[in-house]
Amino acid sequence: VSHMANELASELDHVFHALSDPTRRSVVQSLSQGPATVTALAEPFSMALPTFLKHLKVLETAGLVETQKRGRIRHCALRPHSLRAAEKWIGDHMVRWDAKLDSLERYLNEQDRREKG
């Protein structure tokens, strides 16, 4: 496996890990509406701020979110590039599975015709 393929696999591992948690998916959903402060993002969750910041760190490590400190306030924004990589991976696999399922359907229809005919 090439170095580039290993990097892509590692990037996808981080993205899928980040998206495996409902809190982090909710943060991504919120940020899809536009940038927000950490305080605003954390507000809907009944958890301590340090716990929420750990979730945010996972999203940053995955490249899904970037944060920027302005004065005393930390602002967050979505970085859709990593989501696109995951979307492409899923899309590529869906194409393969669709082709396999189409082939299976043709085979089963042919078997059905032979049994009836």
Side-chain angles (χ1 to χ4, degrees), residues 40-103:
L41 289 171
E43 192 211 334
F45 304 103
S46 58
M47 63 180 72
L49 187 59
T51 303
F52 181 79
L53 291 174
K54 287 178 184 177
H55 283 291
L56 204 53
K57 185 67 179 165
V58 171
L59 291 168
E60 283 184 282
T61 300
L64 293 168
V65 171
E66 64 183 353
T67 64
Q68 188 176 54
K69 197 165 186 178
R70 292 187 221 136
R72 297 178 66 193
I73 300 171
R74 187 167 287 283
H75 296 265
C76 303
L78 193 61
R79 295 185 64 224
H81 172 75
S82 293
L83 283 175
R84 285 192 201 101
E87 179 183 43
K88 182 183 179 334
W89 184 88
I90 290 167
D92 289 349
H93 284 78
M94 284 182 67
V95 167
R96 286 190 201 112
W97 277 105
D98 282 346
K100 289 179 187 222
L101 289 172
D102 289 346
S103 177

Side-chain angles (χ1 to χ4, degrees), residues 8-66:
L8 178 60
S10 177
E11 179 183 347
L12 288 172
D13 290 347
H14 285 295
V15 169
F16 286 126
H17 168 71
L19 295 175
S20 71
D21 182 87
T23 298
R24 295 190 291 263
R25 286 193 306 272
S26 182
V27 170
V28 169
Q29 179 63 41
S30 294
L31 290 174
S32 72
Q33 307 301 311
T37 64
V38 169
T39 306
L41 289 171
E43 192 211 334
F45 304 103
S46 58
M47 63 180 72
L49 187 59
T51 303
F52 181 79
L53 291 174
K54 287 178 184 177
H55 283 291
L56 204 53
K57 185 67 179 165
V58 171
L59 291 168
E60 283 184 282
T61 300
L64 293 168
V65 171
E66 64 183 353

